[in-house]
Amino acid sequence: MDDTSFAVRRIGVVESPLTDRKSAPKQGFEEAPDAWLVFDADVLDGLEGIRSGDEVLVLTWLDRADRDVLRVHPRDDITNPEQGVFSTRSADRPNPIGVHQVEVASIEGRRFRVRNLEALDGTPILDVKPVLTPPGAESAV
Amino acid sequence: MDDTSFAVRRIGVVESPLTDRKSAPKQGFEEAPDAWLVFDADVLDGLEGIRSGDEVLVLTWLDRADRDVLRVHPRDDITNPEQGVFSTRSADRPNPIGVHQVEVASIEGRRFRVRNLEALDGTPILDVKPVLTPPGAESAV
């Protein structure tokens, strides 16, 4: 690691019925299923304060992504003109970090059930943050 | 890097009048100033499609964070009871990845001026994504 490269580490893993990137929904609001966030034992102290019903942002490491991609056809549809990856939510990008807004449905120890997560089974979790709502806004990260 | 640790790399850097963590606003909507996202030359192809006026998510590497922290007093106020870091937006956390929703004010080559960014001067940028709005929702990541 120099000052342009940094190491992130897994704090947990996604358990999901989704196993195939081609057939998975592209966004959580596109009928993604419920899934489990299963946290590693050494970060449990950091989860205190999260409750059922909370909306949270889950950051994941999209480990099946192609990191050498800078231009894509949006939604993997070749009839869509190519765009820069940073103007899309493509998983293929230099730093394939997924940002997913989900609702915590239930908590059982270190297993958190969440609604509408499009991440694939086995995807490493990097971080969880509360969704903040600035004054006057309906919703924002 | 094994299967629990991954390398992220800088794609650009924040230029901001904010240089001191103690005096910086804690959230972008708390009167954060305008700032510049200055992208590295090798990712410029990935930026095509982003336009002035767009709302984007900027992911940063909060390089001045303490990564060994799992519990914090929210907003650095010791009168607030300690909580797990994952129920807060503290910069101090195992993987200090900042998620900032900003408006692109203007674009000059590889320099993007953005509104309301609370990241400090020199903060590495990891990713930029469009803000997606699911059907029926006001705003969501």
Side-chain angles (χ1 to χ4, degrees), chain A:
Chain A
M1 304 292 108
D2 54 24
D3 65 348
T4 64
S5 179
F6 316 98
V8 293
R9 73 174 178 91
R10 185 186 109 147
I11 64 164
V13 67
V14 172
E15 281 183 14
S16 169
L18 300 174
T19 56
D20 176 38
R21 187 171 157 185
K22 291 270 177 267
S23 60
K26 296 191 186 302
Q27 303 300 331
F29 53 81
E30 296 177 322
E31 301 192 25
D34 286 7
W36 292 96
L37 310 180
V38 184
F39 292 98
D40 296 339
D42 61 347
V43 300
L44 293 189
D45 277 353
L47 296 166
E48 197 263 316
I50 302 178
R51 295 185 174 80
S52 292
D54 285 356
E55 287 278 327
V56 297
L57 293 185
V58 180
L59 273 56
T60 60
W61 184 253
L62 303 169
D63 56 340
R64 276 145 279 192
D66 179 348
R67 302 185 65 178
D68 294 323
V69 169
L70 284 176
R71 297 178 60 80
V72 292
H73 297 283
R75 301 185 64 82
D76 297 328
D77 180 343
I78 61 162
T79 67
N80 287 328
E82 269 197 346
Q83 288 177 215
V85 281
F86 302 122
S87 73
T88 80
R89 286 289 189 124
S90 171
D92 297 326
R93 56 204 308 124
N95 293 307
I97 299 169
V99 178
H100 320 268
Q101 183 170 337
V102 298
E103 180 193 337
V104 178
S106 64
I107 297 175
E108 297 176 18
R110 62 193 189 91
R111 298 172 57 84
F112 285 42
R113 191 174 186 91
V114 298
R115 304 226 184 278
N116 301 319
L117 181 62
E118 77 280 18
L120 300 180
D121 188 56
T123 300
I125 301 167
L126 299 181
D127 199 9
V128 176
K129 300 177 191 290
V131 174
L132 296 186
T133 305
E138 193 69 21
S139 168
V141 285

